[in-house]
Amino acid sequence: MRDAVLSMLLDNLGNFVSGEDISRQLGITRAAVWKYIRLLQSEGYLIESSTKKGYCLRQVPDILDEVLLTRGLNTSILGRNVEIHSSIGSTNARAKELALSGAREGTVVIADEQVQGRGRLGRSWVSPPGKGIWMSVILRPRLSSQQVPRITIMTAVAVANALKRSAQIDVGIKWPNDVVCGGKKLCGILTEVHAEPEVIHYAVVGIGLNVNLSFEDLPEDIRDIATSLRIEKGKEFNRADIIKSILQEMEKGYLQGLRDDGFAGLLKEYERRSVILGKRIRVIGVDGQFSGYAQGFGLDGSLMLRLDDGRVERILAGDVSLRGENGYV
Amino acid sequence: MRDAVLSMLLDNLGNFVSGEDISRQLGITRAAVWKYIRLLQSEGYLIESSTKKGYCLRQVPDILDEVLLTRGLNTSILGRNVEIHSSIGSTNARAKELALSGAREGTVVIADEQVQGRGRLGRSWVSPPGKGIWMSVILRPRLSSQQVPRITIMTAVAVANALKRSAQIDVGIKWPNDVVCGGKKLCGILTEVHAEPEVIHYAVVGIGLNVNLSFEDLPEDIRDIATSLRIEKGKEFNRADIIKSILQEMEKGYLQGLRDDGFAGLLKEYERRSVILGKRIRVIGVDGQFSGYAQGFGLDGSLMLRLDDGRVERILAGDVSLRGENGYV
């Protein structure tokens, strides 16, 4: 019923709805309406009340609320099922549990805070409460295990497009899985799959996006290499709006870009956003260190690196830094 | 203590050991020795007893006994930790549980019977009690998710080499994951992984090998396409010997063949055993049906198929049948 009251207020955002209208439409007493208004106010919703005119929702707080997250979400698969946690170890770990027990594709796990947030290769990921988007999406794509990198590439492009649309910010992509801005990391993507060689049973895509973190919110040792939307744009953003935007862009990529006939186009978008393409870089790969010129990306998601001796090395995975510079990218 | 008594008898297989020797060496009473002899006899060990000469192990039964499985096993990683079940749903499912909870690499799960044995892509696999090798091996290879097919290729070659050595039988390999004999399936391999794009967290390799199944043990609907060692060679085999042989060959492949500098050599062995290379085949792939000439295999485990119009299609996964024939291969 709380959700129904909230929905009515949202339908009339900035305008008054009379207590009587709410009471009649939802079939509850005026006293009950008042109870829910108080509840919503305690959660942070700025609601003006007037004995004559009724209630007016003035401002929506930046909280993870299922109504806010799903309202106006224009997807058919992603985010149709959402699990919200105020605090959790890691959204990827929870999403893997759900996937294993048969959760349908598109299920999303979101948390206000992660206490054991993880990045690629088991690295830690700082996810303080209320300041970022820490979420994981369960996918069941028709891909083989060789095509797993497509999922990360698709997600990076989706995040970039979503940030352009919902935060008016132009971001770059650093192969293989980082979304960057001004040479610093804004968002990390962590893809984990369970697969047979020829078919993925499920994939869990974790997205960690620094939204409203201030410079001080960032641990000292990563201030040189990390940033947030707030730091870059000088203002705060509503996380629910950005989440919806990401889910919408991801669904587009999921339905088209992952497929054989769509991936080449997706890779072009990825290349257009790449901050390393055409630059001299150093890659610390699984099989050693390589320095060279980032020449392009393979259809399998690999990086084609032209070494100084002219050979082209196909690199499946690794960490990248711009050669000769000390910055993160 | 049972294991210690059994070990002493095995050390003197075919020869008498006096009850007094056993009693003294193990520090137990003569009555206790007799109790363990009775126990072993009840399990199927053929032990002759003589008041004068003592005990003589005449014949080792074909049972899954940890002593038999690990005795003389010449490996440093694979099979150093073994879990034996008389009946289980599926060894792969159990091995995945163990892998997730941190089981060390090389851990092996073996069962006398699987009641929910599974093959590739969720297909069922018949695993009647006591007649075959139904086992799963936990690996933690340093590979990216694109390299998962290497694991199946490595295992297929290991099984082929092991069967040559321990059962004196020449088998073929049908891409991607079947070991075949006389045009029929003898063994299936099911690889499942949990991975990030650039690193495999763990892999579980399931091996289902028909050892002592008679023609009648095979369900009617697969008699045309499946076979067993017993059917092919007209005699029964000791499963423990074959298991040890497989683990030894797999370890060789695991330590050398999976690596970048070893895989090309491994792929050559795979090609030498291939029953489709150089033949006209039909592939029912994930992305459709293809007919053509099996031209070779890629370093990523894909099949290069020359289509009738001359194009070469790189096929990541699929089911293969010889074109124009009705047989399984």
Side-chain angles (χ1 to χ4, degrees):
Chain A
M1 193 51 71
R2 165 204 174 275
D3 290 358
V5 174
L6 175 56
S7 287
M8 278 194 76
L9 294 173
L10 283 165
D11 287 342
N12 298 279
L13 186 66
N15 296 310
F16 278 91
V17 199
S18 76
E20 201 185 320
D21 279 355
I22 299 176
S23 151
R24 197 174 40 223
Q25 196 160 326
L26 301 179
I28 56 176
T29 65
R30 296 286 298 268
V33 171
W34 175 233
K35 193 189 77 187
Y36 288 116
I37 294 291
R38 290 283 295 269
L39 173 64
L40 290 167
Q41 285 173 330
S42 76
E43 290 172 7
Y45 288 89
L46 201 66
I47 301 169
E48 197 182 322
S49 74
S50 146
T51 2
K52 279 204 171 144
K53 297 186 277 183
Y55 307 104
C56 171
L57 177 57
R58 289 286 178 203
Q59 207 186 316
V60 171
D62 180 33
I63 58 172
L64 300 177
D65 182 312
E66 191 162 348
V67 176
L68 298 178
L69 283 172
T70 54
R71 193 181 167 80
L73 177 65
N74 184 22
T75 58
S76 59
I77 302 170
L78 269 60
R80 302 327 298 177
N81 185 27
V82 178
E83 190 178 280
I84 302 170
H85 297 262
S86 57
S87 181
I88 200 168
S90 124
T91 57
N92 257 37
R94 173 62 184 152
K96 281 189 278 181
E97 276 178 22
L98 289 172
L100 203 60
S101 64
R104 64 178 161 143
E105 68 174 353
T107 296
V108 174
V109 177
I110 306 179
D112 234 11
E113 173 191 33
Q114 289 186 115
V115 294
Q116 290 185 303
R118 292 273 153 224
R120 220 162 47 104
L121 307 174
R123 293 163 189 165
S124 69
W125 179 272
V126 177
S127 332
K131 302 286 180 99
I133 292 172
W134 330 121
M135 77 170 173
S136 299
V137 183
I138 297 173
L139 301 177
R140 300 188 183 276
R142 216 175 136 74
L143 293 178
S144 74
S145 56
Q146 287 122 309
Q147 296 165 328
V148 171
R150 286 190 189 182
I151 301 170
T152 308
I153 286 170
M154 177 275 282
T155 306
V157 169
V159 168
N161 288 340
L163 290 178
K164 176 75 185 168
R165 193 147 62 79
S166 62
Q168 295 77 50
I169 190 169
D170 274 308
V171 297
I173 299 174
K174 198 187 96 171
W175 182 88
N177 74 324
D178 289 344
V179 174
V180 299
C181 192
K184 294 179 173 184
K185 184 165 177 167
L186 181 64
C187 171
I189 294 160
L190 173 59
T191 305
E192 294 182 83
V193 301
H194 192 278
E196 289 177 38
E198 55 210 348
V199 66
I200 293 177
H201 297 158
Y202 63 79
V204 163
V205 185
I207 295 171
L209 172 61
N210 295 336
V211 180
N212 293 327
L213 288 86
S214 67
F215 188 70
E216 291 71 33
D217 286 327
L218 293 169
E220 248 176 79
D221 59 325
I222 63 167
R223 285 182 189 169
D224 287 344
I225 58 169
T227 189
S228 74
L229 287 180
R230 176 177 155 181
I231 294 170
E232 296 299 319
K233 299 285 286 186
K235 63 169 190 166
E236 301 214 334
F237 289 87
N238 182 283
R239 287 174 295 157
D241 291 341
I242 295 174
I243 290 169
K244 282 187 276 192
S245 193
I246 291 173
L247 292 175
Q248 279 161 199
E249 292 291 334
M250 269 185 87
E251 179 160 303
K252 230 189 286 173
Y254 186 55
L255 296 178
Q256 296 162 20
L258 288 186
R259 290 166 35 172
D260 279 352
D261 55 359
F263 187 68
L266 183 67
L267 201 58
K268 280 218 170 63
E269 279 197 75
Y270 185 83
E271 285 174 346
R272 196 169 53 77
R273 299 264 188 191
S274 173
V275 294
I276 63 167
L277 205 60
K279 299 220 175 93
R280 285 189 63 75
I281 58 169
R282 187 177 62 227
V283 183
I284 301 164
V286 178
D287 297 313
Q289 278 206 29
F290 307 90
S291 280
Y293 174 87
Q295 191 170 276
F297 301 99
L299 278 171
D300 56 358
S302 59
L303 169 66
M304 301 299 173
L305 191 70
R306 202 175 67 225
L307 307 182
D308 292 343
D309 63 7
R311 279 182 305 133
V312 174
E313 192 81 23
R314 173 172 161 262
I315 295 169
L316 290 171
D319 292 319
V320 167
S321 58
L322 269 187
R323 200 170 170 193
E325 298 190 10
N326 291 318
Y328 160 68
V329 174
Chain B
M1 194 50 70
R2 165 203 174 273
D3 291 357
V5 174
L6 175 56
S7 288
M8 278 196 74
L9 293 173
L10 282 165
D11 287 342
N12 298 280
L13 187 66
N15 296 310
F16 277 92
V17 199
S18 75
E20 200 182 323
D21 280 354
I22 299 177
S23 150
R24 198 173 39 221
Q25 195 159 327
L26 301 180
I28 55 177
T29 65
R30 296 286 300 267
V33 172
W34 175 233
K35 193 189 76 185
Y36 288 116
I37 294 290
R38 291 283 295 268
L39 173 64
L40 289 167
Q41 284 172 329
S42 76
E43 289 172 7
Y45 288 88
L46 202 66
I47 300 168
E48 197 182 322
S49 74
S50 145
T51 0
K52 280 204 172 147
K53 297 185 278 181
Y55 307 104
C56 170
L57 177 57
R58 290 285 177 204
Q59 207 185 318
V60 171
D62 179 32
I63 59 172
L64 300 178
D65 183 313
E66 192 161 347
V67 176
L68 297 179
L69 283 173
T70 54
R71 193 184 167 78
L73 177 65
N74 183 23
T75 58
S76 60
I77 303 171
L78 269 62
R80 301 326 299 176
N81 184 27
V82 178
E83 190 179 281
I84 302 170
H85 297 262
S86 57
S87 181
I88 200 169
S90 124
T91 57
N92 257 36
R94 174 61 185 153
K96 280 188 280 181
E97 275 177 23
L98 289 172
L100 203 60
S101 63
R104 64 178 161 142
E105 69 175 350
T107 296
V108 174
V109 177
I110 307 179
D112 235 11
E113 172 191 33
Q114 288 185 116
V115 294
Q116 290 185 303
R118 292 274 154 225
R120 219 162 47 104
L121 307 173
R123 293 164 189 165
S124 69
W125 179 272
V126 177
S127 332
K131 301 287 180 97
I133 292 171
W134 330 121
M135 76 170 174
S136 298
V137 182
I138 296 173
L139 301 177
R140 300 188 184 276
R142 216 174 135 75
L143 293 178
S144 74
S145 56
Q146 288 122 308
Q147 296 166 328
V148 171
R150 288 190 188 181
I151 302 170
T152 308
I153 286 170
M154 177 275 281
T155 307
V157 169
V159 168
N161 288 341
L163 289 178
K164 176 75 186 170
R165 192 147 62 81
S166 62
Q168 295 76 49
I169 189 169
D170 273 308
V171 297
I173 299 174
K174 199 186 95 169
W175 181 87
N177 75 322
D178 290 344
V179 174
V180 299
C181 191
K184 294 179 173 184
K185 183 164 176 167
L186 180 65
C187 171
I189 295 160
L190 174 60
T191 305
E192 294 182 83
V193 300
H194 192 277
E196 289 178 40
E198 55 212 348
V199 66
I200 293 177
H201 297 159
Y202 63 80
V204 163
V205 185
I207 294 172
L209 172 61
N210 295 336
V211 180
N212 293 326
L213 287 85
S214 68
F215 188 69
E216 291 71 31
D217 286 327
L218 293 169
E220 248 175 80
D221 59 326
I222 63 166
R223 285 181 189 170
D224 287 344
I225 58 169
T227 189
S228 74
L229 287 180
R230 175 177 156 182
I231 294 169
E232 296 299 320
K233 298 286 284 187
K235 63 169 191 164
E236 301 215 335
F237 289 87
N238 182 283
R239 288 175 295 158
D241 291 342
I242 296 174
I243 289 169
K244 282 187 276 192
S245 193
I246 290 174
L247 292 176
Q248 280 162 199
E249 293 291 334
M250 268 184 88
E251 180 160 303
K252 228 188 288 173
Y254 186 55
L255 297 179
Q256 296 163 20
L258 287 187
R259 291 167 34 171
D260 278 353
D261 55 0
F263 187 67
L266 183 67
L267 201 57
K268 281 220 170 60
E269 279 197 74
Y270 185 83
E271 285 175 345
R272 196 169 53 77
R273 298 264 188 191
S274 174
V275 295
I276 64 168
L277 206 59
K279 300 221 174 94
R280 286 188 62 74
I281 57 169
R282 188 175 61 228
V283 184
I284 301 165
V286 177
D287 296 314
Q289 280 206 27
F290 306 90
S291 280
Y293 174 87
Q295 190 171 277
F297 301 99
L299 276 172
D300 57 359
S302 58
L303 169 66
M304 302 298 174
L305 191 70
R306 201 174 69 226
L307 307 182
D308 292 343
D309 62 8
R311 280 183 305 132
V312 174
E313 191 83 22
R314 175 172 160 263
I315 295 168
L316 290 172
D319 292 319
V320 167
S321 58
L322 268 188
R323 202 171 169 191
E325 297 191 12
N326 292 318
Y328 159 68
V329 174

